[in-house]
Amino acid sequence: MRFNASATTRINTRAYERGLRRALGGMSDDVKTAVGRTRIDVQNEARRRAPVDTGRLRSSIVSREESSGRAVGYTVGTNVKYAEDVENGTAPHVIVPKNGKALYWPGARHPVGKVNHPGTRAQPFMRPAIEMTEIFFRANLSQVRAGRGRR
């Protein structure tokens, strides 16, 4: 089925943009400060929730600000390859040797050709931290606007 109809609408946004700039001009520094604090809060929450064995995953969680013009945001993440498996868990799978013909580990009775791994349960740490963004942002913006001390 084809539709052969279209509509064009023009909206003069200049006045709107001027008003928006005036309204946001006073709070843009406050918003930027609150976003920066929120970035650190989310990063720290992800670190707090990350399971610890060696501490590598926890210490790898970092954040960075991403700004473009008036838009300000951030990214929180990790470069550890197994982070996604920790966050989401893994299904049962077979482990085979990468080098050589057999697997061996201290305490094993003998080398083996493969291991049937039962999988791992999910241990979400990043998703729950990100879900707290709005709570952190609202609290930080209120603190900044109230003029309370810096962290």
Side-chain angles (χ1 to χ4, degrees):
M1 180 178 282
R2 297 182 89 182
F3 293 98
N4 292 322
S6 65
T8 302
T9 304
R10 289 183 184 246
I11 300 171
N12 183 349
T13 60
R14 286 184 185 154
Y16 173 76
E17 287 174 4
R18 278 193 303 272
L20 192 57
R21 279 193 204 109
R22 275 195 305 275
L24 292 178
M27 77 171 162
S28 63
D29 288 342
D30 290 351
V31 170
K32 187 172 182 175
T33 299
V35 168
R37 290 181 181 186
T38 300
R39 171 180 65 90
I40 298 302
D41 287 341
V42 172
Q43 172 186 297
N44 290 340
E45 184 67 19
R47 285 180 177 172
R48 187 185 72 74
R49 290 173 175 268
V52 177
D53 185 12
T54 65
R56 181 172 175 228
L57 176 61
R58 177 175 282 176
S59 66
S60 74
I61 298 169
V62 296
S63 65
R64 73 172 180 267
E65 182 181 306
E66 295 181 348
S67 299
S68 174
R70 284 196 173 275
V72 62
Y74 60 88
T75 298
V76 177
T78 174
N79 63 354
V80 172
K81 291 180 181 179
Y82 58 85
E84 186 176 351
D85 290 342
V86 173
E87 178 83 15
N88 300 317
T90 62
H93 57 280
V94 176
I95 300 173
V96 295
K98 290 182 182 177
N99 302 320
K101 296 179 182 178
L103 297 168
Y104 180 80
W105 57 94
R109 292 186 185 183
H110 54 79
V112 294
K114 69 178 183 176
V115 174
N116 293 316
H117 192 285
T120 56
R121 67 178 177 82
Q123 299 179 71
F125 60 96
M126 193 66 72
R127 195 171 342 133
I130 291 168
E131 288 171 354
M132 294 183 70
T133 297
E134 186 175 347
I135 295 166
F136 289 141
F137 179 73
R138 287 176 186 262
N140 287 321
L141 189 58
S142 292
Q143 286 179 351
V144 169
R145 286 184 173 166
R148 295 191 201 134
R150 303 229 180 247
R151 289 195 217 177

